[in-house]
Amino acid sequence: MSRPGPRERLLQAASDLTYEQGVHVGVDAILKEADVARRSLYQHFGGKDGLIAETLRGAGVEARYRQVMDDAGDDPRERVLAVFDELDKITTRPSFHGCRYTAAELALTDPAHPAHAEVRAYKDRLHRLFEDELRRHRHPAPGFGADQILVLVDGVLAHAVTRPDAHPARAARALAEVVLDQPR
Amino acid sequence: MSRPGPRERLLQAASDLTYEQGVHVGVDAILKEADVARRSLYQHFGGKDGLIAETLRGAGVEARYRQVMDDAGDDPRERVLAVFDELDKITTRPSFHGCRYTAAELALTDPAHPAHAEVRAYKDRLHRLFEDELRRHRHPAPGFGADQILVLVDGVLAHAVTRPDAHPARAARALAEVVLDQPR
DNA sequence: GGCGGCGTATACCGATCGTTCTATCTACCG
DNA sequence: CGGTAGATAGAACGATCGGTATACGCCGCC
């Protein structure tokens, strides 16, 4: 029943605050939110950069995609389309602030920042996720199809930040159906 | 033959630096790049926020879309597809750093920042641009179709930052063809 | 011909940035 | 019981942030 240790609290606080306010939140704000001593941050993560990178690695966004798919049953077509239905819900919530990975990628100018590798790894995992579904669906070109799905997903998340009322997820869903209905 | 005034130099420098390094570049860096006195910035734009907003308004990215379309001729189908061909070139250049409007939107947390209105206005103009093309093309639902094109464009620009080697513009182009080939 | 407006240059402000430091406290383990 | 590792609290570091103030030079225009 005891609360998690400093490391977990730091990751949680960093995850929340960087999503709400971007990766440029101050270390002080994160420390206060996590209720953790300054020293613990540098002990566990070496610095702010390390904490940011580790936060992205452990965000578990990919797991939520899997969950949505699993809730949609076994049919790959329904599983993929369910993602866009979910995106329509997410992107119209007031708490929606875009894709944390895309935001981090754009905000961190320094190409040497460890976060970039995490973003790349995340998107590669997502690509594999969709590619597997398309392969099960007997899509003629699962790799290319997965690229298309990823463009749609990233497009929805990017566009909805500025024009959520346009319901980009619905527009994208119709195109995702086209990807899924390729002659096999 | 004389160089442009401080205002124009500031806009140019801000445009360059904010694209390369994000909107969090320091005022000092902009002033140095523009070779302008500190005071001139606050005289002309009231502050950094005003300069950023004005930079977005005057970036003229929309004009480049029009140019690409005009170079592609009169057929709306070819004009729209030309945009994705151009995107494939742009996104694979080393100097590519994503969509400046999306980046600004994500980086600026404060909802009251004047830049948000500029981003919204820009994307609305883009929507109108594509909607007009689709209408000329006798698309059955030009508004919805334009939403789809915008999702594809934003998706390409967002995804290419992390995975340019996936050539998201090519993946998107195939879907844009679907949008354009709707039965009318 | 002097005067106001614009641009420049530089010093300075308080605030905040990420980081390092010292010092004290607490929990666990032999 | 003693000792060690980890956590806490908080001061302080130099650097940089956006913004303001002061002083000086240049130009055109009444």
Side-chain angles (χ1 to χ4, degrees), chain A residues 33-54:
Chain A
E33 172 81 8
D35 191 30
V36 149
R38 202 167 203 76
R39 198 168 208 257
S40 300
L41 192 161
Y42 294 90
Q43 199 84 15
H44 285 289
F45 302 100
K48 185 190 178 184
D49 291 359
L51 174 59
I52 298 295
E54 197 62 30

Side-chain angles (χ1 to χ4, degrees), chain B residues 110-147:
Chain B
D110 177 14
H113 197 290
H116 291 299
E118 300 300 331
V119 176
R120 172 74 200 216
Y122 165 75
K123 301 234 170 175
D124 283 345
R125 285 197 303 270
L126 265 197
H127 185 271
R128 222 166 304 133
L129 183 67
F130 287 115
E131 190 179 5
D132 288 347
E133 292 297 325
L134 292 182
R135 189 170 289 115
R136 280 213 305 136
H137 194 54
R138 306 255 182 278
H139 188 284
F144 185 75
D147 285 337

Side-chain angles (χ1 to χ4, degrees), chain B residues 25-27 38 42 48:
Chain B
V25 241
V27 171
R38 199 172 198 74
Y42 295 91
K48 185 189 178 186

Side-chain angles (χ1 to χ4, degrees), chain A residues 88 91-92 96 155-171, chain B residues 102 105 116-131 142-152 154:
Chain A
D88 192 45
T91 53
T92 49
F96 174 70
V156 167
L157 293 173
H159 197 72
V161 179
T162 305
R163 296 176 76 239
D165 44 302
H167 284 280
R170 298 178 191 170
Chain B
T102 299
E105 183 80 19
H116 291 299
E118 300 300 331
V119 176
R120 172 74 200 216
Y122 165 75
K123 301 234 170 175
D124 283 345
R125 285 197 303 270
L126 265 197
H127 185 271
R128 222 166 304 133
L129 183 67
F130 287 115
E131 190 179 5
F144 185 75
D147 285 337
Q148 292 182 312
I149 299 291
L150 280 193
V151 168
L152 289 173
D154 275 346

Side-chain angles (χ1 to χ4, degrees), chain A residues 100-146:
Chain A
R100 61 167 358 113
Y101 296 92
T102 300
E105 183 79 18
L106 290 174
L108 301 174
T109 289
D110 178 15
H113 197 291
H116 292 298
E118 300 300 331
V119 175
R120 172 76 201 214
Y122 164 75
K123 303 235 169 175
D124 283 344
R125 286 197 304 270
L126 266 196
H127 185 272
R128 221 166 304 131
L129 184 66
F130 288 115
E131 188 179 6
D132 288 347
E133 293 295 326
L134 292 182
R135 190 171 287 115
R136 281 213 306 134
H137 193 56
R138 305 256 182 280
H139 188 284
F144 185 75

Side-chain angles (χ1 to χ4, degrees), chain B residues 60-127:
Chain B
V61 174
E62 176 201 3
R64 274 175 37 203
Y65 280 90
R66 290 190 193 276
Q67 184 64 51
V68 169
M69 284 182 170
D70 288 346
D71 290 348
D74 274 340
D75 179 23
R77 188 175 193 280
E78 293 308 314
R79 288 164 64 87
V80 172
L81 291 181
V83 168
F84 290 91
D85 291 334
E86 177 71 11
L87 283 178
D88 192 45
K89 293 183 198 163
I90 293 176
T91 54
T92 49
R93 283 205 270 263
S95 60
F96 173 72
H97 291 112
C99 171
R100 60 166 0 114
Y101 297 93
T102 299
E105 183 80 19
L106 290 174
L108 301 174
T109 288
D110 177 14
H113 197 290
H116 291 299
E118 300 300 331
V119 176
R120 172 74 200 216
Y122 165 75
K123 301 234 170 175
D124 283 345
R125 285 197 303 270
L126 265 197
H127 185 271

Side-chain angles (χ1 to χ4, degrees), chain B residues 13-31:
Chain B
S15 177
D16 293 347
L17 290 182
T18 57
Y19 185 68
E20 293 166 13
Q21 310 185 33
V23 293
H24 285 98
V25 241
V27 171
D28 292 7
I30 298 177
L31 293 174

